[in-house]
Amino acid sequence: VVPSQLLAERGSNLVVINPGSMNVRMGFASQDVPFNIPHCIARHKNDAPKLSVRDQRLNCRAGSTHNAERERAYDIIASMLKIPFLGEVSPSENQPLPPKMGRLDGLSAQQNKDDSILTWTDVMDKSIKTSTSIERSVNSDADEDPSQSTSDDGNKPNSEENKYKEMIFGEDALKIPHSAPYCLGRPIRRGHFNISQNYSLHQVLEDLRTIWNWMLTEKLHINPKDRHLYSAILVLGETFDNREMKEMLSIVLCDLGFSTAVVHQVHPQSSI
């Protein structure tokens, strides 16, 4: 069975999954445009996150030596691009960026100020609990006196309990504040599983399964108990080897619960 035949016969019950290093595309075969989500997951850690290959962070601390090297680099770029006016304007206190940086990227000071506004992801999972339910859970074995009740129905005002979200996906995972105790994972990098000393094969496969399952549930609205009614086409790049393709096919069939699946490996000359 070739993918074109599956598209003609089961377009409405066929899910196309195209995982990549940066993004994962997923959608029904009948859709014109699939969902395109950053292929990453942020997991909450009890301890402070440690910098590793999974943390996509930049070292923003720059000393005088770094600033001098940066100035020299700007001068070299300006001379190569033949932009003599980069150093004409002197720095001012109200200017958010050095003149050379502002001129080089072609944005005005006001534009740089507007673009610097970033909405961080809310990492707190707020749940509402009544005081009565909390007391009952703590004093489940203790005797209660009904005459001491402070309200007619026995319920006290609701209290809000805050805790960290266990997992955050996609675009929201990329906007988590650096101070939050999360570790960012990218299961695929440069066309292969992102396996390293700090990122085991087991964790890579678990992250793939979790991200894809989240997209199927939240984006395509396919309930796990109904997945046996659907088939899948796994569209993979030519960089993946046979072992990696086998592992991803096992995730689709065994973990995600699709009834049938086919692998279509794309070459640079072909189009999806």
Side-chain angles (χ1 to χ4, degrees):
V1 178
V2 295
S4 59
Q5 183 178 349
L6 285 175
L7 286 173
E9 296 177 353
R10 304 180 182 178
S12 59
N13 290 339
L14 182 60
V15 177
V16 181
I17 304 174
N18 179 210
S21 300
M22 295 299 298
N23 298 327
V24 52
R25 293 187 295 175
M26 185 181 299
F28 294 105
S30 56
Q31 284 183 240
D32 294 332
V33 180
F35 291 98
N36 193 6
I37 306 297
H39 206 181
C40 59
I41 178 175
R43 294 180 180 272
H44 173 245
K45 298 295 182 181
N46 293 325
D47 53 349
K50 298 179 180 179
L51 293 178
S52 65
V53 294
R54 286 196 286 168
D55 295 301
Q56 309 298 322
R57 298 184 181 179
L58 295 177
N59 183 10
C60 299
R61 298 180 181 178
S64 58
T65 304
H66 296 85
N67 291 330
E69 294 178 355
R70 184 179 301 171
E71 285 291 320
R72 287 195 296 268
Y74 287 144
D75 292 336
I76 294 174
I77 294 174
S79 61
M80 294 176 63
L81 297 177
K82 298 180 181 180
I83 308 177
F85 55 82
L86 281 178
E88 292 179 359
V89 182
S90 59
S92 62
E93 295 179 357
N94 297 328
Q95 189 169 358
L97 295 174
K100 294 183 178 180
M101 182 181 296
R103 293 291 185 87
L104 189 60
D105 60 19
L107 298 176
S108 63
Q110 184 63 31
Q111 288 174 319
N112 286 329
K113 184 177 180 180
D114 296 338
D115 293 342
S116 62
I117 300 175
L118 176 64
T119 303
W120 297 105
T121 300
D122 184 9
V123 298
M124 304 306 297
D125 186 8
K126 299 178 181 179
S127 59
I128 304 298
K129 287 188 176 182
T130 62
S131 300
T132 303
S133 62
I134 298 175
E135 291 176 359
R136 287 176 180 174
S137 62
V138 175
N139 303 320
S140 58
D141 297 333
D143 294 332
E144 297 182 359
D145 187 1
S147 61
Q148 297 180 356
S149 177
T150 58
S151 60
D152 295 338
D153 58 355
N155 289 334
K156 296 181 180 180
N158 294 338
S159 62
E160 192 175 75
E161 183 184 24
N162 292 340
K163 62 179 181 180
Y164 285 106
K165 297 177 181 178
E166 290 298 326
M167 294 175 290
I168 301 176
F169 303 89
E171 203 68 47
D172 292 337
L174 300 178
K175 297 179 182 179
I176 296 178
H178 291 175
S179 59
Y182 282 85
C183 189
L184 182 68
R186 292 186 178 272
I188 297 178
R189 187 181 184 186
R190 297 177 181 176
H192 290 284
F193 287 172
N194 190 16
I195 301 175
S196 66
Q197 182 178 359
N198 299 316
Y199 207 0
S200 64
L201 174 61
H202 173 76
Q203 189 62 49
V204 167
L205 298 179
E206 177 64 21
D207 286 351
L208 285 175
R209 183 194 68 81
T210 307
I211 295 172
W212 296 359
N213 183 68
W214 172 78
M215 289 190 66
L216 290 170
T217 304
E218 299 296 329
K219 300 299 181 181
L220 301 185
H221 304 290
I222 303 178
N223 196 297
K225 66 180 182 180
D226 298 329
R227 302 239 177 105
H228 67 280
L229 303 175
Y230 294 83
S231 299
I233 291 183
L234 192 58
V235 181
L236 303 176
E238 66 171 354
T239 56
F240 292 105
D241 56 36
N242 294 333
R243 179 182 59 86
E244 292 171 330
M245 289 190 291
K246 181 180 178 181
E247 294 287 358
M248 286 187 282
L249 185 61
S250 177
I251 291 176
V252 171
L253 292 175
C254 300
D255 298 327
L256 300 181
F258 284 94
S259 60
T260 57
V262 62
V263 175
H264 177 53
Q265 194 164 22
V266 181
H267 297 276
Q269 294 80 7
S270 62
S271 59
I272 302 176

